[in-house]
Amino acid sequence: MDTHPKGNKARVLLTSVFGPYAQDDEFGSRSINPMELYHNQVTRAQGCFSLRMFHRSWGIMMIQANISAPCSLLDFPSRKAFARELRKHRYDIVGISSIIVNVRKVREMCRMVREISPKSAIVVGGHVAAIPGLESMIDADHIVRGEGISWMRRYLGEDEHAPIRHPAIVSGLETRIMGVRLPNRKGGTAATIIPSVGCPMGCNFCTTSAFFGGKGKFVNFYETGDELFEVMCGIEAELKVHSFFVMDENFLLHRTRALQLLERMKQAGKSWELAVFASANAIRKYTMQELVELGVSWVWMGLESPAAGYSKLQGTDLGQLVQELREHGIRVQGSTIIGLEHHTPGNIVEEIESAVGYGTDFHQFMLYTPVPGTPLYQQMAEERRLLAGVDLADIHGQFKFNFQHRAISRDDSKKLLDWAFRRDFERNGPSLYRMCRTILQGWRRYKDCSDERVRERFAREVRKLSSAYNAALWVMEREFRKVNRSLSQQIHALRCEVEKEFPVAARVTAAAIGPILLWTARREEKRLAAGCTYEPPMFVERRNWVSAS
Ligand code: B12
Ligand code: SF4
């Protein structure tokens, strides 16, 4: 690849694909595919109790923060806004970030750039680049596979090995639950930290692992706990946060780095909360005490299926691990795959029941999906089991199989997936209730802990439980009376325990806020039934821009 003729004087526009997202359209938007993490693939069957929030496009935010060229970033534009931006400024480079499902939007955006700004070089990056033959599907000058910061730096003639500058990223936006939009208070939401991309475990279906090199490979932005600590301190000061969403596919796998971070946290008396992704084998490398001291308060863990033989699950009793984590106040988000090779109509229901039986706080279900670029896709292609005519916009694991399963049909795959979400909700109740239980367990266990950092963290978490969350419990208890009496009784029992611990605060808030929340929750349920969906707001951010004018 040649450096751009203008080097780092080139004007760059980085953009995500255009919305709206949560509706069916000719560009591949799908109503089942909103731009929301939980509602898309975790709490989607939980009605008004579903946790709703948006997340920014971190890949292009990272790139923008690490180049010295004048750069605008457009996140969640409409087609009109994208066209307006192209007309308003003469961009030398237009970088489009996308995942596979949005490939048709990329094609349209490339077409628009050629029409409105024909002198711009078009660079396309992100997971969409994993599609074999993408070159012939879209009109772009460069298609970037894998890590994009170093690529963009090279393209602009900059030092690709310069240290990575981490932007201050607010993790979730416009959080909404039970019909109430939470205020965007400074420090009220976690900050996102991205220590690395990729994962060396190399599970056969995993797109992130494959995209950044596959088994044994990944790209570290911060090698040491010391570096990470410095980055987190900077972001803590800028965003006034105590909690971090650590966007690293397998954060706990890198034990030396994690323990060095813990050491620095202890020295500096940092009472941080960390939400992490980690595989069971990585979690098992730590004692519960280490996890708690490190501030791990939420863990996203692949449960897949114990019978599938993934090495990350070997030697682990998943049920026991989930229970143990929750007893220590660590919320668990499990992820189960439906449609693995050994699944049959005879065993799948039992497998889903046992996954649901782990009683995680959150549960994601996904269809086993050969996604272009993965070893599984390669294997299915070789075995001629990929189904013809499946739209790329529907290959993501939340709709129907895109391959010939030996025992389960494409239509049944969707029925099983939908049933799994419903079953989890029916048996375990709203995730918010389950989280409340875990928070209370953690607080009871650690409220007198000798480590002040740990005490402080649990006290911070329980504050919500003794106020707004207790009012939410009051509502859930009422709403479930008619649908699932036993669950309603369990919620009631939890509320009594909370009120025993916090007799004044918890009772007063339940009495004062409960009825209002009940009203907003019912109003939300009606809105959802009428087809209401949510879209993220648009962001425009310019960097090194003054010098460009
Ligand atoms: C946050 C996130 C979201 C957010 C949305 C973020 C957004 N604004 O688009 C939410 C939660 C809404 C979401 C939704 C979905 N997501 Co999502 N998401 C992620 C997640 C967890 C993190 C992405 C991230 O920021 N990573 C960190 C950054 C630094 O990495 P990156 O984005 O890959 O960027 C790097 C390179 O790719 C490259 N790059 C990226 N953009 C560009 C642009 C240019 C010009 C260049 C040169 C380079 C470049 O450089 C970056 C730095 O190295 C990833 C998993 C993961 N670990 O990455 C899944 C992931 C991207 N999502 C995925 C999917 C499938 C979905 C959904 C379809 C849900 C589903 N059914 O599974 C929906 C689609 C929503 C929609 N309508 O578009 C898949 C994509 C698979 C694929 N091969 O396309 C992933 C990989 C998860 C997975 N393993 O399956 N997602
Ligand atoms: S452990 Fe998780 S992130 Fe790593 S390769 Fe397997 S599925 Fe992907």
Side-chain angles (χ1 to χ4, degrees):
M1 174 255 302
D2 292 333
T3 305
H4 190 278
K6 291 192 180 169
N8 67 358
K9 301 283 179 298
R11 280 187 185 219
V12 183
L13 171 64
L14 294 173
T15 179
S16 54
V17 295
F18 58 81
Y21 309 96
Q23 62 174 45
D24 297 331
D25 73 16
E26 80 263 38
F27 297 111
S29 279
R30 295 286 186 265
S31 53
I32 60 157
N33 235 352
M35 198 48 90
E36 296 173 77
L37 174 58
Y38 293 94
H39 194 66
N40 186 314
Q41 49 199 305
V42 185
T43 54
R44 69 166 152 105
Q46 300 193 8
C48 70
F49 301 108
S50 177
L51 180 55
R52 323 244 354 201
M53 64 172 80
F54 306 110
H55 292 82
R56 294 285 309 276
S57 303
W58 300 323
I60 46 177
M61 290 175 84
M62 291 289 287
I63 295 175
Q64 187 191 35
N66 285 286
I67 55 176
S68 59
C71 179
S72 305
L73 188 153
L74 213 52
D75 214 355
F76 313 124
S78 60
R79 274 173 85 215
K80 245 192 193 153
F82 177 57
R84 207 183 315 127
E85 184 67 23
L86 289 174
R87 283 199 182 95
K88 204 162 148 204
H89 304 283
R90 285 187 312 277
Y91 286 105
D92 300 299
I93 301 167
V94 177
I96 304 168
S97 177
S98 174
I99 60 175
I100 289 176
V101 292
N102 295 320
V103 63
R104 237 173 293 152
K105 297 189 181 196
V106 177
R107 187 167 64 198
E108 171 63 4
M109 290 171 91
C110 292
R111 189 198 63 74
M112 289 168 73
V113 178
R114 295 293 189 227
E115 184 186 304
I116 302 170
S117 180
K119 290 198 177 137
S120 304
I122 303 178
V123 183
V124 171
H127 285 270
V128 73
I131 301 176
L134 181 65
E135 290 77 0
S136 60
M137 297 164 75
I138 59 169
D139 181 10
D141 299 296
H142 303 278
I143 292 174
V144 180
R145 301 194 164 84
E147 209 285 293
I149 299 173
S150 53
W151 189 94
M152 198 54 102
R153 281 174 164 175
R154 274 199 307 280
Y155 187 47
L156 295 168
E158 301 186 13
D159 175 8
E160 64 173 294
H161 302 294
I164 300 288
R165 183 181 171 276
H166 202 301
I169 304 175
V170 175
S171 171
L173 306 162
E174 302 201 348
T175 307
R176 187 181 181 91
I177 190 161
M178 296 169 76
V180 177
R181 165 117 167 250
L182 308 188
N184 280 342
R185 191 170 46 80
K186 190 156 191 171
T189 315
T192 297
I193 296 283
I194 307 174
S196 75
V197 284
C199 173
M201 294 300 290
C203 301
N204 64 343
F205 59 85
C206 183
T207 65
T208 26
S209 179
F211 194 62
F212 296 99
K215 204 172 180 66
K217 306 243 172 61
F218 63 101
V219 180
N220 247 352
F221 293 142
Y222 304 102
E223 296 284 346
T224 66
D226 282 341
E227 287 172 88
L228 213 48
F229 178 77
E230 296 304 332
V231 168
M232 290 164 80
C233 284
I235 291 176
E236 174 190 41
E238 194 170 338
L239 296 180
K240 309 280 172 252
V241 290
H242 299 287
S243 62
F244 296 90
F245 180 83
V246 186
M247 186 55 252
D248 182 311
E249 286 292 31
N250 209 335
F251 178 68
L252 295 177
L253 202 57
H254 314 287
R255 186 174 155 83
T256 313
R257 183 176 68 183
L259 290 186
Q260 194 180 40
L261 173 65
L262 170 58
E263 216 32 59
R264 294 294 303 272
M265 283 169 64
K266 279 184 178 168
Q267 283 162 11
K270 296 288 184 195
S271 168
W272 288 339
E273 275 166 67
L274 269 54
V276 303
F277 294 76
S279 53
N281 67 333
I283 298 171
R284 275 291 178 222
K285 289 184 179 179
Y286 300 78
T287 61
M288 285 296 147
Q289 188 184 341
E290 282 170 335
L291 294 176
V292 168
E293 290 182 349
L294 188 57
V296 174
S297 59
W298 185 92
V299 64
W300 185 318
M301 174 172 59
L303 303 172
E304 328 307 12
S305 155
Y310 287 107
S311 58
K312 63 182 174 178
L313 302 178
Q314 254 142 49
T316 304
D317 178 340
L318 289 172
Q320 192 204 340
L321 179 59
V322 170
Q323 193 187 335
E324 210 180 329
L325 288 165
R326 294 189 73 196
E327 282 167 5
H328 288 263
I330 300 173
R331 270 88 82 195
V332 180
Q333 167 149 338
S335 180
T336 292
I337 299 183
I338 293 176
L340 287 159
E341 296 286 11
H342 70 278
H343 285 154
T344 63
N347 66 21
I348 184 70
V349 168
E350 196 189 315
E351 283 228 3
I352 293 173
E353 285 288 6
S354 82
V356 167
Y358 292 146
T360 54
D361 299 82
F362 293 88
H363 211 133
Q364 174 192 41
F365 295 92
M366 277 278 188
L367 292 178
Y368 193 49
T369 304
V371 175
T374 59
L376 179 62
Y377 185 85
Q378 184 68 29
Q379 179 204 326
M380 291 288 176
E382 281 161 16
E383 293 174 6
R384 300 183 180 279
R385 289 169 65 197
L386 291 171
L387 298 177
V390 178
D391 193 321
L392 284 167
D394 295 317
I395 299 181
H396 50 70
Q398 287 295 334
F399 182 51
K400 291 181 180 181
F401 283 154
N402 63 328
F403 72 106
Q404 187 63 54
H405 191 279
R406 294 185 216 280
I408 298 169
S409 74
R410 177 165 151 82
D411 285 343
D412 283 348
S413 68
K414 174 161 171 42
K415 285 184 200 143
L416 285 164
L417 180 71
D418 292 347
W419 179 75
F421 279 109
R422 277 201 313 277
R423 188 71 186 131
D424 179 53
F425 185 44
E426 225 171 74
R427 265 181 71 179
N428 296 318
S431 288
L432 179 57
Y433 150 63
R434 306 182 220 172
M435 251 174 61
C436 288
R437 217 171 51 197
T438 307
I439 292 175
L440 184 66
Q441 292 191 93
W443 183 75
R444 279 186 171 156
R445 193 169 196 127
Y446 290 105
K447 64 181 172 182
D448 300 318
C449 177
S450 58
D451 186 337
E452 194 188 335
R453 298 177 316 111
V454 173
R455 272 201 320 273
E456 201 184 298
R457 171 163 76 81
F458 281 98
R460 221 167 37 230
E461 288 180 7
V462 91
R463 229 169 278 145
K464 293 180 212 146
L465 182 59
S466 63
S467 53
Y469 288 1
N470 196 50
L473 287 174
W474 182 87
V475 175
M476 291 186 253
E477 179 187 332
R478 280 187 120 68
E479 293 302 79
F480 275 84
R481 243 177 239 157
K482 283 166 276 161
V483 248
N484 183 342
R485 197 156 185 86
S486 129
L487 188 65
S488 167
Q489 283 162 352
Q490 289 168 42
I491 299 174
H492 174 75
L494 178 63
R495 189 164 65 80
C496 292
E497 286 180 55
V498 174
E499 292 181 0
K500 204 160 83 194
E501 297 284 349
F502 309 97
V504 181
R507 278 196 195 129
V508 169
T509 28
I513 307 176
I516 304 170
L517 258 188
L518 181 64
W519 181 78
T520 57
R522 286 182 177 166
R523 186 189 53 177
E524 183 76 353
E525 207 64 74
K526 279 190 203 138
R527 274 190 189 151
L528 297 175
C532 166
T533 54
Y534 295 101
E535 295 289 346
M538 183 177 90
F539 293 83
V540 186
E541 285 154 353
R542 306 197 196 276
R543 198 166 169 269
N544 307 321
W545 198 249
V546 180
S547 56
S549 54

